[in-house]
Amino acid sequence: MTMPGRADHQRGHGLLLRWLAVFAAPMLLLALFVWCAGWFPPRLTSQRIVDAFEATTTPHPGFRRNHAKGICITGHFDSNGNGASVSRASVFERGSYAVVGRLSRPGGNPQQDDGEALVRSFALLIALPHGEQWRLAMNSTPIFAVRTPQALFEQLQAEALDPHTGQANPAKMQAFLDGHPEARAFLEWVRLHPPSSRFDNAAYFGISSFRTTDAQGVQRFVRWEVVPDSPWRPVEARAQSDPDFLSHALMTQLAKGPLRWHLVLNVAMPGDPIDDSTRQWIDSPQRERVDVGTIVIDRAQAQIDGPCRDITFDPTILPDGIAPSADPLLAARSSTYSVSFNRRTREEAVAGSNGR
């Protein structure tokens, strides 16, 4: 038997390359045709997510694309030192740290009635030594409706206003829910937990999991919540006659004295999901819960010129000793907050130059 020589191998290799070239050209043309026909969905980006938020309401230049209606708050965080058992973060060293925050309701319309809001939101920036910050973005629900940025984008598409009617299409939302059964847990939680009558008597949850590292290098996963000193009460019908009852009630309560919430770290147990914000951790007497201090709010200001106006409450801005988990929503929130900030500040700059 004659063994193939080097020349035979080179001829075979050259023939293979020629056949690949013959097939590559039409395949490339086919791929370009499919792309131009829109059969390949465009890559999901933070810009497209912000576009989708914008499509859920009429234009409101200069405002946040979500949580557009809110009020600035200031105060301090009294750390009791207990958090050092979980994390080496400087925020858990005993002491008092300045706080700038924002209380708000979801949605992109800053004129929307408070009575339509089923969820309240609480965002904080805690200023720490050596230039560190801890930014927290929390909702009055312990879970989120969707697990991934793609699912969030699809939810926003389902909520988009029809350009002809100015209303959302219920059929689109039903189709979204049919395709995302995990969202039903969120809807059920909201159904069973009526919204609070005020901002200050609601508990707020970080929702996503975060990884902590203590002074010995031991790592844990936690979810945090803030628990109000004020007892929860549901919204009363008479309060809803005021479209801005949440901010008005906040000012009324602050006139009586500071408002307080306890910041609590819930430590993960075996089996707890750490990368899925749609799943609630079980309520167990065995769970370690660490009360790490008290958030004290003593002043509120309008967001139009208040200290929270130019802050993005990016939940991935964390002190050493706290880090994001693998929850895919965290990175998406960070990037979309940045895009929203750039758009609204650019709109403010244009409006300011036109007004001179």
Side-chain angles (χ1 to χ4, degrees), residues 153-218:
F153 180 69
E154 293 171 12
Q155 179 186 0
L156 294 170
Q157 286 184 311
E159 296 174 357
L161 300 182
D162 187 301
H164 301 294
T165 66
Q167 303 293 323
N169 185 339
K172 289 186 177 181
M173 178 51 68
Q174 186 59 53
F176 167 79
L177 293 174
D178 291 342
H180 293 274
E182 72 277 12
R184 296 187 182 277
F186 174 84
L187 297 177
E188 182 65 8
W189 197 95
V190 170
R191 185 184 70 82
L192 294 175
H193 298 80
S196 62
S197 59
R198 303 193 308 262
F199 277 133
D200 66 282
N201 63 2
Y204 298 90
F205 305 87
I207 301 177
S208 293
S209 305
F210 292 80
R211 186 181 74 248
T212 61
T213 305
D214 67 17
Q216 288 71 46
V218 177

Short mmCIF file of all heavy atoms in Angstrom, two decimals, residues 153-218:
data_model
loop_
_atom_site.label_atom_id
_atom_site.label_comp_id
_atom_site.label_asym_id
_atom_site.label_seq_id
_atom_site.Cartn_x
_atom_site.Cartn_y
_atom_site.Cartn_z
N PHE A 153 -36.82 43.09 29.90
CA PHE A 153 -37.07 43.77 28.62
C PHE A 153 -38.41 43.33 28.02
O PHE A 153 -39.19 44.15 27.54
CB PHE A 153 -35.92 43.46 27.65
CG PHE A 153 -36.06 44.10 26.30
CD1 PHE A 153 -35.95 45.47 26.15
CD2 PHE A 153 -36.29 43.32 25.18
CE1 PHE A 153 -36.07 46.07 24.91
CE2 PHE A 153 -36.42 43.90 23.93
CZ PHE A 153 -36.31 45.28 23.80
N GLU A 154 -38.68 42.04 28.08
CA GLU A 154 -39.95 41.53 27.55
C GLU A 154 -41.14 42.04 28.37
O GLU A 154 -42.19 42.34 27.82
CB GLU A 154 -39.92 40.00 27.54
CG GLU A 154 -38.91 39.43 26.56
CD GLU A 154 -38.72 37.93 26.70
OE1 GLU A 154 -39.54 37.29 27.41
OE2 GLU A 154 -37.76 37.38 26.11
N GLN A 155 -40.96 42.16 29.68
CA GLN A 155 -42.02 42.72 30.52
C GLN A 155 -42.30 44.17 30.13
O GLN A 155 -43.46 44.59 30.01
CB GLN A 155 -41.61 42.65 31.99
CG GLN A 155 -42.65 43.25 32.93
CD GLN A 155 -42.17 43.31 34.36
OE1 GLN A 155 -41.05 42.91 34.68
NE2 GLN A 155 -43.01 43.82 35.25
N LEU A 156 -41.25 44.95 29.93
CA LEU A 156 -41.42 46.35 29.55
C LEU A 156 -42.08 46.46 28.18
O LEU A 156 -42.92 47.36 27.94
CB LEU A 156 -40.08 47.06 29.55
CG LEU A 156 -39.42 47.21 30.93
CD1 LEU A 156 -37.99 47.71 30.78
CD2 LEU A 156 -40.23 48.15 31.80
N GLN A 157 -41.72 45.58 27.27
CA GLN A 157 -42.38 45.58 25.96
C GLN A 157 -43.87 45.31 26.10
O GLN A 157 -44.70 45.91 25.39
CB GLN A 157 -41.74 44.53 25.05
CG GLN A 157 -40.38 44.93 24.51
CD GLN A 157 -39.84 43.90 23.54
OE1 GLN A 157 -39.83 42.69 23.82
NE2 GLN A 157 -39.40 44.35 22.38
N ALA A 158 -44.23 44.43 27.03
CA ALA A 158 -45.65 44.13 27.25
C ALA A 158 -46.38 45.30 27.88
O ALA A 158 -47.60 45.46 27.70
CB ALA A 158 -45.78 42.89 28.14
N GLU A 159 -45.66 46.16 28.61
CA GLU A 159 -46.26 47.31 29.27
C GLU A 159 -46.26 48.56 28.38
O GLU A 159 -46.81 49.59 28.78
CB GLU A 159 -45.51 47.62 30.57
CG GLU A 159 -45.61 46.53 31.62
CD GLU A 159 -44.74 46.82 32.83
OE1 GLU A 159 -44.03 47.84 32.81
OE2 GLU A 159 -44.77 46.02 33.78
N ALA A 160 -45.63 48.48 27.22
CA ALA A 160 -45.48 49.67 26.37
C ALA A 160 -46.83 50.23 25.94
O ALA A 160 -47.79 49.48 25.69
CB ALA A 160 -44.65 49.32 25.14
N LEU A 161 -46.90 51.56 25.84
CA LEU A 161 -48.12 52.21 25.40
C LEU A 161 -48.31 52.06 23.91
O LEU A 161 -47.35 52.23 23.13
CB LEU A 161 -48.08 53.70 25.77
CG LEU A 161 -47.95 54.05 27.26
CD1 LEU A 161 -47.98 55.56 27.43
CD2 LEU A 161 -49.03 53.38 28.08
N ASP A 162 -49.50 51.74 23.49
CA ASP A 162 -49.83 51.68 22.07
C ASP A 162 -49.85 53.12 21.53
O ASP A 162 -50.54 53.98 22.08
CB ASP A 162 -51.20 51.04 21.87
CG ASP A 162 -51.53 50.81 20.42
OD1 ASP A 162 -51.55 51.80 19.65
OD2 ASP A 162 -51.79 49.65 20.04
N PRO A 163 -49.09 53.42 20.48
CA PRO A 163 -49.03 54.80 19.97
C PRO A 163 -50.37 55.32 19.47
O PRO A 163 -50.58 56.52 19.40
CB PRO A 163 -48.00 54.72 18.84
CG PRO A 163 -47.93 53.27 18.46
CD PRO A 163 -48.22 52.52 19.71
N HIS A 164 -51.30 54.42 19.14
CA HIS A 164 -52.60 54.85 18.62
C HIS A 164 -53.60 55.11 19.74
O HIS A 164 -54.39 56.06 19.66
CB HIS A 164 -53.15 53.79 17.66
CG HIS A 164 -52.25 53.52 16.49
ND1 HIS A 164 -51.99 54.45 15.51
CD2 HIS A 164 -51.52 52.40 16.16
CE1 HIS A 164 -51.16 53.94 14.61
NE2 HIS A 164 -50.86 52.69 14.99
N THR A 165 -53.57 54.28 20.77
CA THR A 165 -54.55 54.42 21.86
C THR A 165 -53.99 55.13 23.09
O THR A 165 -54.75 55.63 23.92
CB THR A 165 -55.07 53.04 22.28
OG1 THR A 165 -53.99 52.29 22.88
CG2 THR A 165 -55.63 52.28 21.08
N GLY A 166 -52.65 55.16 23.22
CA GLY A 166 -52.04 55.72 24.41
C GLY A 166 -52.17 54.83 25.64
O GLY A 166 -51.87 55.26 26.76
N GLN A 167 -52.62 53.59 25.45
CA GLN A 167 -52.82 52.65 26.55
C GLN A 167 -52.00 51.38 26.31
O GLN A 167 -51.67 51.05 25.17
CB GLN A 167 -54.31 52.28 26.68
CG GLN A 167 -55.23 53.46 26.88
CD GLN A 167 -55.02 54.15 28.21
OE1 GLN A 167 -54.74 53.49 29.22
NE2 GLN A 167 -55.14 55.47 28.23
N ALA A 168 -51.69 50.69 27.40
CA ALA A 168 -51.03 49.39 27.26
C ALA A 168 -52.03 48.36 26.75
O ALA A 168 -53.24 48.50 26.95
CB ALA A 168 -50.45 48.95 28.59
N ASN A 169 -51.52 47.34 26.08
CA ASN A 169 -52.35 46.29 25.52
C ASN A 169 -52.41 45.12 26.51
O ASN A 169 -51.41 44.43 26.72
CB ASN A 169 -51.79 45.82 24.18
CG ASN A 169 -52.68 44.82 23.49
OD1 ASN A 169 -53.51 44.17 24.12
ND2 ASN A 169 -52.50 44.67 22.19
N PRO A 170 -53.57 44.86 27.15
CA PRO A 170 -53.66 43.77 28.13
C PRO A 170 -53.30 42.41 27.56
O PRO A 170 -52.79 41.55 28.28
CB PRO A 170 -55.12 43.82 28.58
CG PRO A 170 -55.60 45.19 28.24
CD PRO A 170 -54.84 45.59 27.01
N ALA A 171 -53.56 42.22 26.27
CA ALA A 171 -53.24 40.92 25.66
C ALA A 171 -51.73 40.68 25.67
O ALA A 171 -51.29 39.54 25.85
CB ALA A 171 -53.79 40.87 24.24
N LYS A 172 -50.95 41.73 25.48
CA LYS A 172 -49.50 41.58 25.51
C LYS A 172 -49.02 41.20 26.90
O LYS A 172 -48.13 40.35 27.05
CB LYS A 172 -48.82 42.87 25.04
CG LYS A 172 -48.97 43.16 23.56
CD LYS A 172 -48.15 44.37 23.17
CE LYS A 172 -48.23 44.63 21.67
NZ LYS A 172 -47.42 45.81 21.27
N MET A 173 -49.60 41.82 27.92
CA MET A 173 -49.20 41.47 29.28
C MET A 173 -49.61 40.04 29.62
O MET A 173 -48.87 39.31 30.28
CB MET A 173 -49.82 42.45 30.28
CG MET A 173 -49.49 42.14 31.73
SD MET A 173 -47.71 41.90 32.07
CE MET A 173 -47.11 43.57 31.78
N GLN A 174 -50.77 39.61 29.17
CA GLN A 174 -51.19 38.24 29.42
C GLN A 174 -50.25 37.26 28.74
O GLN A 174 -49.89 36.22 29.32
CB GLN A 174 -52.62 38.02 28.93
CG GLN A 174 -53.19 36.66 29.29
CD GLN A 174 -53.22 36.41 30.79
OE1 GLN A 174 -53.75 37.23 31.55
NE2 GLN A 174 -52.63 35.30 31.24
N ALA A 175 -49.84 37.59 27.53
CA ALA A 175 -48.89 36.72 26.82
C ALA A 175 -47.56 36.66 27.56
O ALA A 175 -46.92 35.61 27.65
CB ALA A 175 -48.70 37.22 25.39
N PHE A 176 -47.14 37.82 28.11
CA PHE A 176 -45.89 37.83 28.88
C PHE A 176 -46.01 36.92 30.11
O PHE A 176 -45.12 36.12 30.40
CB PHE A 176 -45.54 39.25 29.31
CG PHE A 176 -44.46 39.30 30.35
CD1 PHE A 176 -43.13 39.15 29.99
CD2 PHE A 176 -44.77 39.46 31.69
CE1 PHE A 176 -42.13 39.16 30.95
CE2 PHE A 176 -43.78 39.47 32.66
CZ PHE A 176 -42.45 39.32 32.29
N LEU A 177 -47.12 37.04 30.84
CA LEU A 177 -47.30 36.23 32.04
C LEU A 177 -47.39 34.74 31.71
O LEU A 177 -46.89 33.90 32.46
CB LEU A 177 -48.56 36.67 32.78
CG LEU A 177 -48.51 38.07 33.40
CD1 LEU A 177 -49.86 38.44 33.98
CD2 LEU A 177 -47.43 38.13 34.48
N ASP A 178 -48.01 34.42 30.57
CA ASP A 178 -48.08 33.02 30.15
C ASP A 178 -46.69 32.46 29.88
O ASP A 178 -46.44 31.28 30.13
CB ASP A 178 -48.95 32.89 28.90
CG ASP A 178 -50.43 33.16 29.18
OD1 ASP A 178 -50.82 33.12 30.36
OD2 ASP A 178 -51.18 33.43 28.21
N GLY A 179 -45.81 33.32 29.38
CA GLY A 179 -44.45 32.87 29.07
C GLY A 179 -43.48 32.97 30.23
O GLY A 179 -42.37 32.46 30.16
N HIS A 180 -43.90 33.65 31.30
CA HIS A 180 -43.02 33.85 32.46
C HIS A 180 -43.80 33.55 33.74
O HIS A 180 -44.16 34.47 34.49
CB HIS A 180 -42.48 35.28 32.48
CG HIS A 180 -41.54 35.57 31.36
ND1 HIS A 180 -40.20 35.29 31.42
CD2 HIS A 180 -41.77 36.10 30.13
CE1 HIS A 180 -39.62 35.65 30.29
NE2 HIS A 180 -40.55 36.14 29.48
N PRO A 181 -44.05 32.30 34.03
CA PRO A 181 -44.83 31.96 35.23
C PRO A 181 -44.16 32.41 36.52
O PRO A 181 -44.83 32.55 37.53
CB PRO A 181 -44.93 30.43 35.14
CG PRO A 181 -43.82 30.01 34.23
CD PRO A 181 -43.65 31.11 33.25
N GLU A 182 -42.83 32.64 36.50
CA GLU A 182 -42.16 33.09 37.72
C GLU A 182 -42.68 34.45 38.17
O GLU A 182 -42.61 34.80 39.37
CB GLU A 182 -40.64 33.16 37.51
CG GLU A 182 -40.14 34.29 36.62
CD GLU A 182 -40.20 33.99 35.13
OE1 GLU A 182 -40.84 32.99 34.76
OE2 GLU A 182 -39.61 34.75 34.35
N ALA A 183 -43.22 35.26 37.24
CA ALA A 183 -43.73 36.58 37.59
C ALA A 183 -44.98 36.50 38.45
O ALA A 183 -45.33 37.47 39.14
CB ALA A 183 -44.00 37.40 36.33
N ARG A 184 -45.65 35.39 38.42
CA ARG A 184 -46.90 35.26 39.18
C ARG A 184 -46.64 35.26 40.69
O ARG A 184 -47.52 35.66 41.47
CB ARG A 184 -47.64 33.99 38.76
CG ARG A 184 -48.07 34.03 37.29
CD ARG A 184 -48.96 32.86 36.92
NE ARG A 184 -49.31 32.91 35.50
CZ ARG A 184 -50.30 33.64 34.98
NH1 ARG A 184 -51.04 34.39 35.80
NH2 ARG A 184 -50.55 33.64 33.69
N ALA A 185 -45.46 34.85 41.12
CA ALA A 185 -45.14 34.89 42.55
C ALA A 185 -45.11 36.34 43.04
O ALA A 185 -45.58 36.64 44.15
CB ALA A 185 -43.80 34.21 42.81
N PHE A 186 -44.58 37.22 42.21
CA PHE A 186 -44.55 38.64 42.57
C PHE A 186 -45.97 39.20 42.65
O PHE A 186 -46.33 39.89 43.61
CB PHE A 186 -43.73 39.41 41.53
CG PHE A 186 -43.76 40.90 41.70
CD1 PHE A 186 -42.89 41.52 42.58
CD2 PHE A 186 -44.64 41.67 40.97
CE1 PHE A 186 -42.92 42.90 42.74
CE2 PHE A 186 -44.69 43.05 41.12
CZ PHE A 186 -43.82 43.67 42.01
N LEU A 187 -46.79 38.89 41.65
CA LEU A 187 -48.17 39.39 41.64
C LEU A 187 -48.96 38.86 42.83
O LEU A 187 -49.77 39.59 43.43
CB LEU A 187 -48.85 39.00 40.33
CG LEU A 187 -48.26 39.60 39.05
CD1 LEU A 187 -48.99 39.07 37.83
CD2 LEU A 187 -48.31 41.12 39.09
N GLU A 188 -48.71 37.61 43.20
CA GLU A 188 -49.41 37.03 44.34
C GLU A 188 -48.96 37.72 45.64
O GLU A 188 -49.79 37.97 46.53
CB GLU A 188 -49.14 35.53 44.40
CG GLU A 188 -49.85 34.79 45.53
CD GLU A 188 -51.37 34.79 45.40
OE1 GLU A 188 -51.90 35.23 44.36
OE2 GLU A 188 -52.03 34.33 46.36
N TRP A 189 -47.67 38.01 45.75
CA TRP A 189 -47.19 38.68 46.96
C TRP A 189 -47.84 40.06 47.08
O TRP A 189 -48.30 40.44 48.17
CB TRP A 189 -45.67 38.83 46.92
CG TRP A 189 -45.09 39.14 48.27
CD1 TRP A 189 -44.58 38.25 49.17
CD2 TRP A 189 -44.99 40.42 48.89
NE1 TRP A 189 -44.16 38.91 50.31
CE2 TRP A 189 -44.40 40.23 50.17
CE3 TRP A 189 -45.34 41.71 48.49
CZ2 TRP A 189 -44.15 41.30 51.04
CZ3 TRP A 189 -45.10 42.78 49.36
CH2 TRP A 189 -44.52 42.57 50.62
N VAL A 190 -47.90 40.80 45.97
CA VAL A 190 -48.51 42.13 46.00
C VAL A 190 -50.00 42.02 46.36
O VAL A 190 -50.53 42.85 47.11
CB VAL A 190 -48.31 42.84 44.65
CG1 VAL A 190 -49.13 44.12 44.58
CG2 VAL A 190 -46.83 43.15 44.43
N ARG A 191 -50.67 41.00 45.85
CA ARG A 191 -52.09 40.83 46.12
C ARG A 191 -52.34 40.59 47.61
O ARG A 191 -53.32 41.09 48.18
CB ARG A 191 -52.65 39.66 45.31
CG ARG A 191 -54.17 39.47 45.43
CD ARG A 191 -54.64 38.24 44.68
NE ARG A 191 -54.23 37.00 45.32
CZ ARG A 191 -54.86 36.44 46.35
NH1 ARG A 191 -55.94 37.02 46.86
NH2 ARG A 191 -54.43 35.31 46.88
N LEU A 192 -51.45 39.85 48.24
CA LEU A 192 -51.64 39.50 49.65
C LEU A 192 -51.11 40.56 50.61
O LEU A 192 -51.35 40.47 51.82
CB LEU A 192 -50.96 38.16 49.94
CG LEU A 192 -51.56 36.94 49.23
CD1 LEU A 192 -50.72 35.70 49.51
CD2 LEU A 192 -53.01 36.71 49.66
N HIS A 193 -50.38 41.55 50.10
CA HIS A 193 -49.77 42.57 50.95
C HIS A 193 -50.16 43.95 50.41
O HIS A 193 -49.45 44.50 49.56
CB HIS A 193 -48.25 42.42 51.00
CG HIS A 193 -47.79 41.12 51.58
ND1 HIS A 193 -47.77 39.94 50.86
CD2 HIS A 193 -47.33 40.81 52.83
CE1 HIS A 193 -47.31 38.97 51.64
NE2 HIS A 193 -47.05 39.47 52.82
N PRO A 194 -51.25 44.50 50.88
CA PRO A 194 -51.68 45.83 50.41
C PRO A 194 -50.58 46.87 50.66
O PRO A 194 -49.79 46.74 51.61
CB PRO A 194 -52.92 46.12 51.26
CG PRO A 194 -53.40 44.78 51.72
CD PRO A 194 -52.17 43.94 51.87
N PRO A 195 -50.50 47.89 49.82
CA PRO A 195 -49.46 48.91 50.00
C PRO A 195 -49.64 49.67 51.31
O PRO A 195 -50.75 49.82 51.82
CB PRO A 195 -49.65 49.83 48.79
CG PRO A 195 -51.05 49.58 48.32
CD PRO A 195 -51.35 48.16 48.65
N SER A 196 -48.53 50.13 51.85
CA SER A 196 -48.55 50.86 53.12
C SER A 196 -49.18 52.23 52.94
O SER A 196 -49.19 52.80 51.84
CB SER A 196 -47.13 51.01 53.66
OG SER A 196 -46.35 51.77 52.75
N SER A 197 -49.67 52.78 54.05
CA SER A 197 -50.32 54.09 54.00
C SER A 197 -49.32 55.23 53.87
O SER A 197 -49.68 56.32 53.44
CB SER A 197 -51.16 54.30 55.27
OG SER A 197 -50.34 54.23 56.43
N ARG A 198 -48.05 54.95 54.24
CA ARG A 198 -47.02 55.99 54.19
C ARG A 198 -45.70 55.37 53.74
O ARG A 198 -45.53 54.15 53.78
CB ARG A 198 -46.84 56.66 55.55
CG ARG A 198 -48.09 57.26 56.15
CD ARG A 198 -47.75 58.18 57.34
NE ARG A 198 -46.91 57.55 58.34
CZ ARG A 198 -47.35 56.99 59.47
NH1 ARG A 198 -48.66 56.95 59.72
NH2 ARG A 198 -46.51 56.46 60.35
N PHE A 199 -44.76 56.23 53.38
CA PHE A 199 -43.41 55.75 53.11
C PHE A 199 -42.76 55.18 54.36
O PHE A 199 -42.04 54.18 54.30
CB PHE A 199 -42.54 56.90 52.60
CG PHE A 199 -42.66 57.20 51.13
CD1 PHE A 199 -42.82 58.51 50.70
CD2 PHE A 199 -42.58 56.20 50.17
CE1 PHE A 199 -42.91 58.81 49.35
CE2 PHE A 199 -42.66 56.48 48.82
CZ PHE A 199 -42.83 57.80 48.40
N ASP A 200 -42.98 55.83 55.51
CA ASP A 200 -42.18 55.51 56.69
C ASP A 200 -42.68 54.30 57.45
O ASP A 200 -42.01 53.87 58.40
CB ASP A 200 -42.12 56.72 57.63
CG ASP A 200 -43.49 57.07 58.21
OD1 ASP A 200 -44.29 57.69 57.48
OD2 ASP A 200 -43.76 56.71 59.37
N ASN A 201 -43.86 53.73 57.10
CA ASN A 201 -44.30 52.53 57.82
C ASN A 201 -44.26 51.29 56.93
O ASN A 201 -44.94 50.30 57.18
CB ASN A 201 -45.69 52.73 58.43
CG ASN A 201 -46.78 52.96 57.38
OD1 ASN A 201 -46.50 52.95 56.18
ND2 ASN A 201 -48.01 53.18 57.82
N ALA A 202 -43.41 51.34 55.91
CA ALA A 202 -43.19 50.17 55.04
C ALA A 202 -41.81 49.58 55.33
O ALA A 202 -40.86 50.30 55.63
CB ALA A 202 -43.29 50.57 53.58
N ALA A 203 -41.72 48.26 55.22
CA ALA A 203 -40.42 47.58 55.22
C ALA A 203 -39.92 47.55 53.78
O ALA A 203 -40.70 47.47 52.83
CB ALA A 203 -40.56 46.16 55.76
N TYR A 204 -38.61 47.60 53.63
CA TYR A 204 -38.00 47.60 52.30
C TYR A 204 -36.94 46.52 52.23
O TYR A 204 -36.25 46.24 53.22
CB TYR A 204 -37.40 48.97 51.98
CG TYR A 204 -38.42 50.09 51.95
CD1 TYR A 204 -38.71 50.81 53.10
CD2 TYR A 204 -39.09 50.41 50.78
CE1 TYR A 204 -39.65 51.84 53.09
CE2 TYR A 204 -40.03 51.44 50.75
CZ TYR A 204 -40.31 52.14 51.91
OH TYR A 204 -41.25 53.15 51.89
N PHE A 205 -36.78 45.93 51.03
CA PHE A 205 -35.92 44.77 50.84
C PHE A 205 -34.92 45.02 49.71
O PHE A 205 -35.27 45.58 48.66
CB PHE A 205 -36.77 43.55 50.49
CG PHE A 205 -37.86 43.25 51.47
CD1 PHE A 205 -39.10 43.85 51.38
CD2 PHE A 205 -37.63 42.37 52.52
CE1 PHE A 205 -40.11 43.58 52.28
CE2 PHE A 205 -38.63 42.10 53.44
CZ PHE A 205 -39.87 42.71 53.32
N GLY A 206 -33.68 44.55 49.93
CA GLY A 206 -32.66 44.64 48.90
C GLY A 206 -32.89 43.68 47.75
O GLY A 206 -32.31 43.84 46.68
N ILE A 207 -33.71 42.67 47.94
CA ILE A 207 -34.16 41.68 46.95
C ILE A 207 -33.03 40.76 46.49
O ILE A 207 -33.09 39.55 46.68
CB ILE A 207 -34.86 42.34 45.75
CG1 ILE A 207 -36.09 43.14 46.23
CG2 ILE A 207 -35.26 41.28 44.72
CD1 ILE A 207 -36.81 43.88 45.11
N SER A 208 -31.99 41.31 45.87
CA SER A 208 -30.87 40.48 45.39
C SER A 208 -30.00 40.02 46.56
O SER A 208 -30.02 40.61 47.65
CB SER A 208 -30.02 41.25 44.39
OG SER A 208 -30.73 41.52 43.21
N SER A 209 -29.23 38.98 46.31
CA SER A 209 -28.27 38.49 47.30
C SER A 209 -26.92 39.16 47.07
O SER A 209 -26.56 39.52 45.94
CB SER A 209 -28.11 36.97 47.19
OG SER A 209 -29.36 36.32 47.29
N PHE A 210 -26.16 39.31 48.15
CA PHE A 210 -24.81 39.88 48.09
C PHE A 210 -23.87 39.00 48.90
O PHE A 210 -24.28 38.34 49.86
CB PHE A 210 -24.81 41.31 48.63
CG PHE A 210 -25.58 42.28 47.76
CD1 PHE A 210 -26.96 42.34 47.83
CD2 PHE A 210 -24.92 43.11 46.88
CE1 PHE A 210 -27.68 43.22 47.03
CE2 PHE A 210 -25.62 43.99 46.07
CZ PHE A 210 -27.00 44.05 46.15
N ARG A 211 -22.59 39.01 48.51
CA ARG A 211 -21.59 38.19 49.19
C ARG A 211 -20.83 39.06 50.19
O ARG A 211 -20.32 40.13 49.83
CB ARG A 211 -20.60 37.59 48.18
CG ARG A 211 -19.62 36.61 48.81
CD ARG A 211 -18.64 36.07 47.80
NE ARG A 211 -17.63 37.05 47.41
CZ ARG A 211 -17.54 37.61 46.21
NH1 ARG A 211 -18.41 37.30 45.26
NH2 ARG A 211 -16.59 38.48 45.95
N THR A 212 -20.75 38.62 51.42
CA THR A 212 -19.98 39.34 52.43
C THR A 212 -18.73 38.54 52.80
O THR A 212 -18.70 37.32 52.70
CB THR A 212 -20.82 39.57 53.71
OG1 THR A 212 -21.20 38.30 54.26
CG2 THR A 212 -22.08 40.38 53.39
N THR A 213 -17.71 39.28 53.22
CA THR A 213 -16.46 38.67 53.67
C THR A 213 -16.09 39.29 55.01
O THR A 213 -16.01 40.52 55.12
CB THR A 213 -15.32 38.90 52.66
OG1 THR A 213 -15.74 38.43 51.37
CG2 THR A 213 -14.07 38.16 53.09
N ASP A 214 -15.85 38.47 56.03
CA ASP A 214 -15.51 39.02 57.34
C ASP A 214 -14.00 39.18 57.49
O ASP A 214 -13.23 38.91 56.55
CB ASP A 214 -16.12 38.17 58.47
CG ASP A 214 -15.52 36.77 58.57
OD1 ASP A 214 -14.43 36.52 58.00
OD2 ASP A 214 -16.14 35.90 59.23
N ALA A 215 -13.56 39.61 58.66
CA ALA A 215 -12.15 39.91 58.88
C ALA A 215 -11.27 38.67 58.77
O ALA A 215 -10.06 38.78 58.51
CB ALA A 215 -11.97 40.56 60.25
N GLN A 216 -11.84 37.49 58.97
CA GLN A 216 -11.08 36.24 58.85
C GLN A 216 -11.14 35.64 57.44
O GLN A 216 -10.60 34.57 57.20
CB GLN A 216 -11.61 35.20 59.86
CG GLN A 216 -11.26 35.50 61.31
CD GLN A 216 -12.03 36.69 61.86
OE1 GLN A 216 -13.24 36.79 61.66
NE2 GLN A 216 -11.34 37.58 62.54
N GLY A 217 -11.82 36.33 56.52
CA GLY A 217 -11.93 35.84 55.15
C GLY A 217 -13.09 34.91 54.90
O GLY A 217 -13.22 34.36 53.79
N VAL A 218 -13.94 34.69 55.91
CA VAL A 218 -15.10 33.81 55.75
C VAL A 218 -16.16 34.53 54.93
O VAL A 218 -16.51 35.69 55.22
CB VAL A 218 -15.68 33.40 57.12
CG1 VAL A 218 -16.93 32.54 56.93
CG2 VAL A 218 -14.62 32.65 57.92
#
